[in-house]
Amino acid sequence: AMHAVTGPYAVEILERRLGAPPGSVVNAVPSPDFGSGHPDPNPIWAAPLVAAMMAPDAPDFGAASDGDGDRNMILGRGVYVTPSDSLALLAAHAHRAPGYRGGLKGVARSMPTSGAVDRVAAALGVPCFETPTGWK
């Protein structure tokens, strides 16, 4: 959770509601200085996560979110999805989650998200909106 605002949400959803073992969410306590690190979810700032996910005994899923939770780096065992493209991947596969079985009604992305989600939205026949970026 990069010591950012998404930490408590990740604990609630992944550990408490979906049953991941306690402690599965790391860096879950928000900190004004992001634990003396940086909240950008990329291979540099989330190097321990990337190393764990590229190991032969890696778990099935890993993720890191940025400071305000609008970009996410998704990893599978030996697989990396850039934060700019993660929303496109989530949108393309949303119908696999029970709550979105009927599909999406639309998607919204922030400015730093790549145009890949625009193409997924077009293929799904749903609108795509761009939201302002930043914390102010």
Side-chain angles (χ1 to χ4, degrees):
M2 310 295 286
H3 292 289
V5 70
T6 56
Y9 295 102
V11 169
E12 178 64 30
I13 294 167
L14 298 173
E15 294 182 8
R16 295 193 183 120
R17 296 189 184 204
L18 296 178
S24 294
V25 178
V26 297
N27 302 330
V29 177
S31 171
D33 71 349
F34 303 107
S36 298
H38 193 286
D40 191 34
N42 67 45
I44 303 286
W45 295 108
L49 173 63
V50 173
M53 293 306 299
M54 298 302 146
D57 61 342
D60 293 330
F61 173 79
S65 58
D66 74 338
D68 60 355
D70 67 347
R71 289 182 305 119
N72 302 282
M73 177 174 67
I74 301 171
L75 302 104
R77 186 179 297 126
V79 178
Y80 163 78
V81 177
T82 177
S84 297
D85 290 339
S86 64
L87 180 59
L89 181 72
L90 292 169
H93 294 279
H95 65 282
R96 298 175 189 273
Y100 297 99
R101 189 173 295 122
L104 298 173
K105 301 295 183 196
V107 294
R109 67 174 181 86
S110 61
M111 186 274 305
T113 303
S114 79
V117 72
D118 300 66
R119 296 180 82 177
V120 169
L124 295 174
V126 299
C128 182
F129 303 94
E130 185 175 300
T131 64
T133 189
W135 299 21
K136 295 180 172 76

